[in-house]
Amino acid sequence: MLSKKVEKALNNQIRIEAESSQIYLSMASWAEVKGLEGIALFMYKQSDEERLHMLKLIKFVNERGGHAQISELNAPKIEFGSFQKMFQELFDHEIFVSNSINELVHVTLQEKDYATHNFLQWYVAEQIEEEALARTILDKINLIGNDKGGLYLFDRDVQQITITSAAAPGPLG
Ligand code: FEO
């Protein structure tokens, strides 16, 4: 059984994952209209993953006797300036999500809710991976600078990362 405090914190995380999905969906759409196909594919996939993170939490809350609440979301931005800035935003957003997961883990310890604490370890591990991936991409962006040919190769590289990671088991599998 979830304490009210843990349930509230989990519901907050459900909203954050849903908003993350919308943010990446908006980034995907922006990249698509700019002709950045690989980047768009990557962002569509990130958006799908965030939705799965949200669903996994919803199932958990309801299974543990709580009520997962689907709430109103903040609208994401629709313009991102440049793909460099967009990936910086993705990285910053993942740091924000990691901090939020850490807070959530902290609440479960305060409440001595070891079942939820155990469940959240998957999210802790996932955040390490997502931060590492975003950092790798930012490093690549720094390497290419403003080179047009570099952008073409970068877009293809990001597409390759997307295809490779799509072959790995998903969060619900
Ligand atoms: Fe669900 Fe990218 O954090």
Side-chain angles (χ1 to χ4, degrees), residues 1-69:
M1 192 71 191
L2 298 171
S3 73
K4 282 293 160 209
K5 199 171 167 189
V6 170
E7 184 178 354
K8 192 171 170 220
L10 287 167
N11 269 315
N12 182 54
Q13 192 62 35
I14 287 169
R15 187 181 49 75
I16 287 173
E17 300 293 345
E19 282 183 350
S20 303
S21 179
Q22 294 298 91
I23 290 167
Y24 299 152
L25 191 58
S26 188
M27 288 179 174
S29 181
W30 180 89
E32 195 163 51
V33 298
K34 298 276 178 212
L36 300 166
E37 259 177 67
I39 294 172
L41 199 72
F42 175 85
M43 290 299 178
Y44 278 123
K45 175 153 176 297
Q46 288 302 116
S47 174
D48 285 347
E49 277 193 18
E50 298 304 344
R51 181 177 158 77
L52 291 175
H53 296 172
M54 174 196 70
L55 284 174
K56 197 177 163 86
L57 281 161
I58 290 173
K59 297 276 180 202
F60 179 80
V61 169
N62 291 341
E63 270 169 19
R64 298 285 299 156
H67 181 187
Q69 289 166 18

Side-chain angles (χ1 to χ4, degrees), residues 99-113:
N99 289 339
S100 166
I101 295 287
N102 285 343
E103 275 305 310
L104 187 50
V105 170
H106 180 67
V107 171
T108 62
L109 288 180
Q110 279 178 327
E111 295 289 293
K112 297 191 170 65
D113 182 346

